[in-house]
Amino acid sequence: MNKNRKSPEERLELIYAITEGKIKAESLLQEIILLLEDYFICKTELSGDTLKLSLYNGQNFALKISET
């Protein structure tokens, strides 16, 4: 079996991914917020291309996204 061969579903997903429009940094961070809030009990604040994450144990993080 050729492991490089894609199923019809995989090929369709690849076509959708290739033709998808560009995503902005803020939109990507909004998606990441949903994942983080499912995993951590925290407060999140989105400001432009930076996500601030405050954990209730006092730790604070900033995640900045930029297209390269």
Side-chain angles (χ1 to χ4, degrees):
M1 181 172 204
N2 184 350
K3 60 182 171 182
N4 292 325
R5 189 173 181 122
K6 305 271 187 247
S7 71
E9 293 84 11
E10 290 171 320
R11 280 183 269 172
L12 188 57
E13 288 175 0
L14 184 57
I15 290 169
Y16 287 148
I18 291 170
T19 59
E20 185 175 44
K22 294 205 175 230
I23 187 168
K24 293 182 180 182
E26 188 173 347
S27 297
L28 181 56
L29 284 171
Q30 289 172 344
E31 297 295 328
I32 292 172
I33 286 173
L34 298 174
L35 297 171
L36 289 173
E37 288 178 339
D38 278 348
Y39 193 78
F40 295 102
I41 298 173
C42 60
K43 178 182 173 192
T44 57
E45 180 185 335
L46 183 60
S47 177
D49 62 355
T50 303
L51 168 63
K52 294 178 182 177
L53 178 72
S54 300
L55 302 177
Y56 290 106
N57 66 0
Q59 289 181 286
N60 295 296
F61 299 92
L63 178 62
K64 182 173 179 150
I65 299 280
S66 62
E67 187 174 353
T68 58

